[in-house]
Amino acid sequence: MTIGANERAWLRTFPETAHWRKVLPVRGGYGSDRKYEVWTRSGEHLLLRVADERETRRKYAEFAFIQRCQALGFPMPRPVDCGLHAGKVYELLTWVEGEPLTQELIGMPEEEQYRLGQEAGRALAAIHSVLLEPGERREADGEVEARKRMVFRYLASRHRMAGDDATVMFVAKHVAYPKRLAGLHGDFHIGNLLLTAGGKLAVMDFDRRQVGDRWQDFQRAQTFSVPRSTAFVNGQIHAYFMGDPPQEFWEAFAYEAAYGAIRQIVWAESLGANATQQMQMSYARAARDFRGFTPCEPPRWYVPAR
């Protein structure tokens, strides 16, 4: 893959490039950041993330959160530098070696999928244990209105699902200020995990970090992890809660799954017909798994902890 002319022009003026030996673009994913794999002359292997300077506050908060997660005991990128340059905000992180978990799970015994899910659950619980900084709680203040706006966008969408009235009503009933505030990964699912050569899970892509209800971080599990491995997600839940979750989790999870299902349809519309169709299929799967989003019941794929 080649680097575009505008990207090359920006990189040429970036002070650190004098110390770099090789730079390659990293494609894939749905985030707005430009990503580059970097090898330095001194032998370092880095990830450069670049965003528009309008994202400065968000990127600085992301970088600070990554710094605070360093002592949690699982592999993840280490922060190197964060700053502004020529109309862009950038992050330099260490490169994490590993294989995408989405590929590694193919053909893996269910027992091993479950074990890796447990590892993911422990990592997620550790992320949620990081104390919020003064002022961070205010970040959650706009969440209720943001979710209401998303529901209205879905209602106006030409890709609404047939017979979705009960789902929309269920979501509308449960929109409320987050109860269990924590710093969230924001996009925690199989697609953002790597399997290292040592058999450990590395947690990647903190670019959707936010402050919200800690159980919100299970939302993407239903959309992106469940279709790949229910054994993995069962392990994740069991390890996170050190057993079966409390009953109130299931209503919260059903709400997050329902909201995530309609949100993903709206999100996918800008990506084209194929992506939208995939998210409609994801909606149908979630509605089936959660029995039409009946609160207080585990999804059909859940297996109680032994």
Side-chain angles (χ1 to χ4, degrees), residues 151-292:
V151 171
F152 285 124
R153 287 181 64 186
Y154 173 75
L155 290 173
S157 170
R158 59 190 180 89
H159 297 106
R160 279 186 64 175
M161 299 293 287
D164 63 359
D165 289 348
T167 302
V168 173
M169 290 296 294
F170 178 66
V171 170
K173 174 185 174 184
H174 286 82
V175 172
Y177 186 82
K179 293 180 181 178
R180 296 157 285 264
L181 277 186
L184 309 181
H185 178 277
D187 200 18
F188 197 90
H189 61 84
I190 282 175
N192 284 329
L193 300 172
L194 297 180
L195 187 61
T196 70
K200 296 290 186 180
L201 281 189
V203 181
M204 309 297 293
D205 292 328
F206 283 75
D207 56 304
R208 288 186 171 86
R209 166 261 164 215
Q210 65 183 103
V211 174
D213 189 309
R214 64 190 62 211
W215 293 347
Q216 181 182 328
D217 255 342
F218 285 89
Q219 183 188 114
R220 303 293 206 278
Q222 174 62 38
T223 306
F224 297 110
S225 299
V226 166
R228 300 276 186 172
S229 174
T230 57
F232 179 92
V233 182
N234 274 293
Q236 179 182 331
I237 292 173
H238 294 161
Y240 183 92
F241 289 100
M242 295 184 289
D244 291 313
Q247 191 65 25
E248 63 180 319
F249 170 75
W250 296 121
E251 185 163 3
F253 190 18
Y255 162 55
E256 289 297 340
Y259 175 76
I262 65 177
R263 176 190 171 278
Q264 296 292 343
I265 289 174
V266 175
W267 165 78
E269 288 177 330
S270 64
L271 303 176
N274 287 341
T276 303
Q277 186 176 32
Q278 288 177 5
M279 290 303 103
Q280 288 175 320
M281 292 170 62
S282 179
Y283 173 105
R285 181 188 301 112
R288 181 175 63 252
D289 287 347
F290 282 87
R291 302 170 182 83

Side-chain angles (χ1 to χ4, degrees), residues 120-133:
R122 287 189 287 269
L124 185 59
I127 290 170
H128 293 165
S129 74
V130 174
L131 296 177
L132 293 174
E133 293 287 314

Side-chain angles (χ1 to χ4, degrees), residues 54-155:
R54 291 174 297 185
E55 301 292 330
T56 297
R57 179 178 293 182
R58 180 178 66 83
K59 298 305 288 184
Y60 273 49
E62 174 191 333
F63 190 79
F65 190 63
I66 291 173
Q67 289 178 312
R68 285 149 56 200
C69 288
Q70 289 304 296
L72 296 181
F74 55 83
M76 63 177 292
R78 295 195 311 274
V80 177
D81 190 22
C82 183
L84 288 167
H85 175 71
K88 304 289 184 183
V89 58
Y90 68 89
E91 290 175 290
L92 268 175
L93 309 166
T94 56
W95 184 270
V96 178
E97 300 287 352
E99 298 299 325
L101 188 60
T102 49
Q103 297 176 14
E104 294 300 302
L105 285 176
I106 298 173
M108 183 183 288
E110 281 200 0
E111 293 82 1
E112 181 64 7
Q113 295 180 38
Y114 179 83
R115 184 193 70 78
L116 290 172
Q118 289 179 303
E119 202 169 320
R122 287 189 287 269
L124 185 59
I127 290 170
H128 293 165
S129 74
V130 174
L131 296 177
L132 293 174
E133 293 287 314
E136 277 190 307
R137 290 178 175 271
R138 292 196 299 270
E139 292 185 34
D141 289 349
E143 182 67 13
V144 171
E145 291 306 315
R147 291 198 169 206
K148 287 180 179 179
R149 287 194 298 272
M150 183 58 67
V151 171
F152 285 124
R153 287 181 64 186
Y154 173 75
L155 290 173

